[in-house]
Amino acid sequence: MDRIPILRMGQTLLVTIQVDMQDQTALALQEDLAARIAEAGANGVMIDISALETVDSFVGRMLSSISGIARILSATTVVVGMQPAGAITLVELGLSLSGVRTALDVERGQSIEYFLNHRL
């Protein structure tokens, strides 16, 4: 089973998903990410899905689950790099990804993370 790497950038963890995930890989990512958030005291998670060719209901549910886990551990999740076709598919499937913030790319995602995590 392949593991998805999780990189630390200050108080934010960066996950770049570059392969279509199977159930076991997604479950491992959820567990690994939860452990890393707690271990690092991270207050943000950025998930880059720009390399995914398809975004389907499985990916949508996985992103929503990860966001929920991160939120319980006091971290904000930002998904970056979603292609227009993926957004259309998720809307057509009725998946709203509540609690998941989005940005067009990593640079814009970092700006969102900064403002969310540096509130006065």
Side-chain angles (χ1 to χ4, degrees):
M1 172 178 59
D2 293 326
R3 291 267 216 250
I4 305 292
I6 301 170
L7 306 174
R8 184 173 178 177
M9 298 183 334
Q11 291 298 312
T12 301
L13 300 177
L14 174 64
V15 178
T16 302
I17 301 174
Q18 300 179 351
V19 296
D20 290 331
M21 290 197 295
Q22 303 300 316
D23 291 354
Q24 292 301 320
T25 307
L27 290 173
L29 175 59
Q30 289 177 6
E31 292 172 13
D32 293 347
L33 196 51
R36 288 290 303 274
I37 291 169
E39 169 189 305
N43 57 16
V45 175
M46 189 176 322
I47 304 174
D48 181 2
I49 62 169
S50 59
L52 290 182
E53 290 192 27
T54 58
V55 175
D56 55 14
S57 62
F58 175 75
V59 172
R61 285 191 309 273
M62 184 260 321
L63 292 172
S64 186
S65 293
I66 287 174
S67 177
I69 291 166
R71 192 171 40 255
I72 289 170
L73 295 171
S74 298
T76 301
T77 302
V78 178
V79 174
V80 300
M82 185 173 302
Q83 302 300 318
I88 291 167
T89 299
L90 291 178
V91 169
E92 288 176 348
L93 291 171
L95 296 172
S96 64
L97 298 183
S98 60
V100 179
R101 302 212 181 252
T102 58
L104 291 176
D105 54 36
V106 172
E107 183 178 342
R108 290 180 181 158
Q110 287 176 319
S111 296
I112 290 172
E113 277 294 317
Y114 178 82
F115 289 112
L116 288 174
N117 295 314
H118 293 88
R119 289 177 244 163
L120 298 175

